Amino acid sequence: TATYSAARKALADGTPSVVDEAICQPGMIWQESGVWHQLWHEDVASLGCKYDLVLEHAIGGTGMWALGSDNGYPDLWNLLENRFKAPAKLGEGSRDAPVAIGAFPFEDTRDTSKGGFRYFDYYSCKDTVAEYGREFVYQLDLCQPGNLHIQVDAVGGDDPDIHLLSGLQEKDCIARNDVTIDQALQPGRYYVVVDTYVSDAVELEGPYQLHVDFAAQAGTQPCPAGTVCQAGSCVCDGGLVSCGGVCVDTASDPSHCGDCGTVCVSGQSCHA
């Protein structure tokens, strides 16, 4: 074994370094008196990969072994502070910020080999299938019953799978398939996750195209003008408030000033 300080000194002394990009792991391989040696160690880049995994999986924390082994090198402590003192919000397509599906038909193209997140691993609707490669999360709101059609097309030799969820946990899986899902749904909020299939421990990442369409049940009505669909309910758009089924601006409406039914007396106007 070698401490972090010893590994840093060996590198400074010219020991040849290598990096296994597939697992984000640095090391050293050298020959001495005809015998090959190899030493794999952590550094800021490799620990950064692990800390990203902690944040993306919403794991409670991380540990370091052993305190003092990095004597003289503050970079590992700086990395911990940078990642965990004020963690940056995960970007678009994560559980924190799903890609919004606002209208149908919807199409999107992304690449899990160049982006994505790691939270979902094994979904309840088929928990024997490994999906721990990187994924993108989408969100859609339905205010009419009907049929949702989802299709994902791999662009190269990758293998993206699609999952339909009622929430943002693996246990919330409604349906899963390799290419298409056709599912009858009631009004509500749903999530589509395009996740990377794992075959023999190889994550089959790459570009994909997602297609989503919705056919409302005959005889049902969409949200009326001036409202939008939000988590299965039609709500007033643009910050307006529903008073008796009518969307009003309570900041300026003299009949609903501040809240529904508060009427300004004669000679007064409603302001803020």
Side-chain angles (χ1 to χ4, degrees):
T1 59
T3 64
Y4 179 77
S5 298
R8 288 290 299 266
K9 183 178 184 303
L11 287 168
D13 289 343
T15 304
S17 61
V18 295
V19 178
D20 187 334
E21 299 288 356
I23 58 172
C24 194
Q25 186 66 49
M28 298 174 243
I29 299 177
W30 72 97
Q31 194 174 31
E32 193 173 286
S33 301
V35 178
W36 283 101
H37 302 265
Q38 58 179 321
L39 168 67
W40 298 93
H41 63 91
E42 302 287 9
D43 64 7
V44 169
S46 65
L47 287 174
C49 290
K50 293 175 173 66
Y51 296 165
D52 287 343
L53 198 68
V54 168
L55 294 171
E56 290 175 9
H57 270 85
I59 297 172
T62 184
M64 183 193 293
W65 181 267
L67 300 183
S69 293
D70 58 337
N71 186 35
Y73 299 94
D75 42 336
L76 299 188
W77 287 103
N78 293 339
L79 178 68
L80 277 169
E81 183 175 26
N82 176 265
R83 282 296 201 280
F84 296 107
K85 183 177 181 180
K89 288 187 177 296
L90 300 180
E92 184 187 43
S94 67
R95 288 195 322 145
D96 290 348
V99 179
I101 300 177
F104 301 104
F106 172 84
E107 294 193 0
D108 192 44
T109 299
R110 295 179 190 258
D111 190 338
T112 54
S113 69
K114 297 179 180 179
F117 305 88
R118 298 179 187 273
Y119 180 81
F120 298 98
D121 295 335
Y122 293 88
Y123 296 80
S124 60
C125 43
K126 199 166 185 180
D127 61 9
T128 58
V129 176
E131 304 275 3
Y132 56 77
R134 286 184 285 191
E135 77 263 347
F136 284 101
V137 182
Y138 300 79
Q139 176 182 300
L140 62 141
D141 292 332
L142 301 178
C143 283
Q144 293 173 265
N147 188 79
L148 186 71
H149 173 77
I150 312 168
Q151 180 174 328
V152 65
D153 297 317
V155 177
D158 53 317
D159 193 349
D161 292 330
I162 44 176
H163 307 78
L164 177 63
L165 284 72
S166 60
L168 288 170
Q169 301 290 334
E170 292 172 335
K171 64 180 178 62
D172 298 325
C173 186
I174 298 171
R176 174 226 177 257
N177 214 329
D178 298 331
V179 180
T180 60
I181 291 176
D182 284 284
Q183 185 73 32
L185 295 173
Q186 293 298 312
R189 173 165 290 176
Y190 299 94
Y191 300 91
V192 175
V193 183
V194 179
D195 210 338
T196 302
Y197 178 68
V198 180
S199 176
D200 294 328
V202 177
E203 300 171 19
L204 302 179
E205 300 174 337
Y208 68 84
Q209 292 178 332
L210 176 67
H211 314 270
V212 184
D213 207 354
F214 178 71
Q217 182 177 308
T220 63
Q221 297 297 320
C223 289
T227 66
V228 293
C229 183
Q230 189 174 95
S233 300
C234 297
V235 299
C236 294
D237 195 11
L240 301 183
V241 177
S242 178
C243 292
V246 178
C247 294
V248 300
D249 184 353
T250 55
S252 60
D253 191 318
S255 298
H256 305 281
C257 191
D259 56 22
C260 295
T262 301
V263 181
C264 293
V265 298
S266 177
Q268 290 183 331
S269 62
C270 182
H271 178 69

